[in-house]
Amino acid sequence: MREIRYCEVSDLADVREQLADIRHHIHQHPELSYEEVDTSRYVAQKLESWGYRVTRNVGGHGVVASLTAGSSRRTVGVRADMDALPIREQTGLAYASVHDGKMHACGHDGHTAVLLGAAQQLARTRNFDGTVNLIFQPAEEAGSNSGAEQMIADGLFERFPCDAIFGLHNHPGVATGTFGFRAGPLMAACDTVRIRIHGRGGHAARPHLAVDPVVIGSSLVMALQTVVARNVDPTEAAVVTVGTFHAGFAPNVIPEDATLELSVRSFSATVRATLETRICALVKSHTEGYGASADIEYIRGYPVLVNSEAETEFARGVAEELVGAGQVISPFPPIAGSEDFAYYLQKVPGCFIRLGNGEGKPMLHNAKYDFNDDNLTIGAAFWTRLVERFLAKDRA
């Protein structure tokens, strides 16, 4: 049997500038979650020009492009996110955002361009046997009611079956073109807690006649740090961060209320439940102990992202074939950030991958961040080869 030749990075050298132009166009015209009208149209038109069956408006502004080669009934999905962040760009780039206060500060412009590069290569070679579904997702940055949730609710996997699904995210601080893999929990669940402490306001000179929510809130900030230190198994990981604390309007007035907002992160369902139980109990008892009360809004965000064993091992093998074992990190360290790709992995086996964006580069969600164009052909070749290998013509 003739040996099958799979995609190499050099196979995309002729489209590198084209992919850079695509990426720069998307970067220059960022759209926030739920607003990806022009980005969605731009992506869909590219895919249609390459011969894909394109379905628009899946779960909002989502786009799914399907291509079939051969006769196999095997299917695979690959996802890229498209939305930007409400950040004022400070890169000074020639292709910087033209929309003030909106910026591709997480690299979704690069993720989209990388998958478009793979789409073009797969269409021109068709070196696979089965159906590939390329998923261009909106609203990953939403935090709740995200694009992944909406696409699944809109029948994504019923309309576009996937035997497995794969996605990637760039990772500043790791060498460009280096792939990271971890089976099991890779990224954390992320929950938000809003606490409003109700005290009794009064004059700053007569604190004994008031119930000071500022003092209560300050004490609560410190007490909340004991939840991880004393309620979570030390072999587990968890984070409780107080991100905002708002109270008062004048130095000589004790306010009626104080508001705290927390970010809570965990890597297992058990720890996640423990954190919610203990935080709510602590807030209630702590405020009551001072003679105050509190309203608690506990908002569950994205769940733990759990990569399946077989698909992670498969994807790792593809990366090692493409760039060599020296550019593969496995296992990759767990990441306390969250990602709505986790919802796909609750429905279909798969793997979420990290791709180094360069050492010493600005971190994600930074006003000076930029996706590394050196990753465009590397990422596109990886997706192409992964699809070719997953849907190999000689695969049983």
Side-chain angles (χ1 to χ4, degrees):
M1 180 179 294
R2 181 179 63 87
E3 183 178 354
I4 299 174
R5 182 188 180 279
Y6 298 113
C7 183
E8 301 287 352
V9 176
S10 59
D11 294 341
L12 287 101
D14 63 324
V15 297
R16 187 193 185 285
E17 294 306 315
Q18 179 187 355
L19 295 183
D21 288 343
I22 289 172
R23 209 273 294 180
H24 296 172
H25 173 85
I26 297 172
H27 185 95
Q28 197 167 26
H29 302 89
E31 294 175 300
L32 303 181
S33 297
Y34 312 117
E35 299 176 2
E36 309 91 338
V37 176
D38 292 338
T39 306
S40 176
R41 182 187 304 114
Y42 179 80
V43 166
Q45 289 172 347
K46 290 286 185 186
L47 294 161
E48 287 169 342
S49 73
W50 298 327
Y52 282 80
R53 302 186 306 276
V54 176
T55 305
R56 306 185 189 209
N57 303 317
V58 181
H61 299 305
V63 175
V64 180
S66 302
L67 186 67
T68 299
S71 58
S72 172
R73 299 182 66 179
R74 293 194 307 275
T75 60
V76 65
V78 185
R79 172 272 213 172
D81 37 18
M82 300 187 294
D83 56 329
L85 286 159
I87 294 175
R88 179 171 287 108
E89 183 164 352
Q90 298 177 17
T91 62
L93 294 166
Y95 52 86
S97 171
V98 298
H99 301 312
D100 188 46
K102 301 178 183 180
M103 176 191 175
H104 272 291
C106 203
H108 296 187
D109 53 337
H111 304 163
T112 297
V114 162
L115 191 53
L116 285 173
Q120 184 178 26
Q121 181 68 8
L122 288 164
R124 67 182 183 177
T125 60
R126 303 194 180 223
N127 183 32
F128 61 93
D129 185 16
T131 298
V132 57
N133 295 311
L134 305 181
I135 301 160
F136 292 85
Q137 181 204 302
E140 188 280 326
E141 299 285 1
S144 61
N145 193 29
S146 71
E149 295 174 272
Q150 292 187 38
M151 293 188 82
I152 290 169
D154 201 13
L156 175 67
F157 293 123
E158 292 77 23
R159 297 162 66 184
F160 311 97
C162 298
D163 295 332
I165 188 166
F166 299 88
L168 66 73
H169 202 293
N170 74 95
H171 195 99
V174 172
T176 307
T178 298
F179 291 86
F181 300 89
R182 186 182 189 88
L186 172 68
M187 299 185 70
C190 180
D191 301 324
T192 300
V193 190
R194 297 192 178 99
I195 302 165
R196 188 172 183 85
I197 301 170
H198 302 288
R200 184 170 64 249
H203 198 293
R206 300 178 180 87
H208 61 292
L209 300 178
V211 177
D212 192 341
V214 176
V215 171
I216 300 167
S218 299
S219 177
L220 182 59
V221 169
M222 299 305 297
L224 284 166
Q225 305 312 305
T226 68
V227 172
V228 173
R230 288 297 176 264
N231 298 126
V232 175
D233 185 328
T235 64
E236 300 276 7
V239 177
V240 176
T241 295
V242 180
T244 71
F245 188 154
H246 299 285
F249 54 88
N252 63 341
V253 177
I254 294 173
E256 290 282 337
D257 304 293
T259 302
L260 287 71
E261 292 182 308
L262 283 59
S263 181
V264 181
R265 298 170 187 265
S266 54
F267 287 90
S268 78
T270 300
V271 171
R272 191 182 196 187
T274 297
L275 291 170
E276 180 173 0
T277 299
R278 291 301 306 137
I279 287 170
C280 292
L282 178 61
V283 170
K284 184 175 184 296
S285 62
H286 201 83
T287 54
E288 288 179 351
Y290 280 90
S293 63
D295 296 328
I296 306 168
E297 184 182 8
Y298 208 102
I299 305 164
R300 285 213 162 197
Y302 301 161
V304 182
L305 186 151
V306 183
N307 285 330
S308 52
E309 294 277 352
E311 284 68 28
T312 301
E313 180 62 21
F314 168 77
R316 183 190 63 78
V318 172
E320 288 190 352
E321 291 175 1
L322 183 71
V323 298
Q327 285 184 252
V328 171
I329 301 173
S330 180
F332 199 81
I335 300 162
S338 62
E339 172 48 80
D340 77 341
F341 193 83
Y343 290 111
Y344 298 129
L345 294 174
Q346 291 181 336
K347 302 290 184 181
V348 176
C351 179
F352 195 65
I353 299 141
R354 306 299 287 196
L355 176 59
N357 200 57
E359 297 169 307
K361 296 289 186 180
M363 297 305 293
L364 304 172
H365 294 213
N366 184 300
K368 295 184 178 180
Y369 166 89
D370 189 38
F371 184 86
N372 193 327
D373 282 345
D374 290 341
N375 273 329
L376 291 172
T377 54
I378 296 170
F382 174 74
W383 281 145
T384 303
R385 192 182 187 100
L386 182 140
V387 170
E388 291 173 342
R389 292 273 279 104
F390 195 90
L391 302 178
K393 295 178 180 179
D394 61 348
R395 187 173 177 180

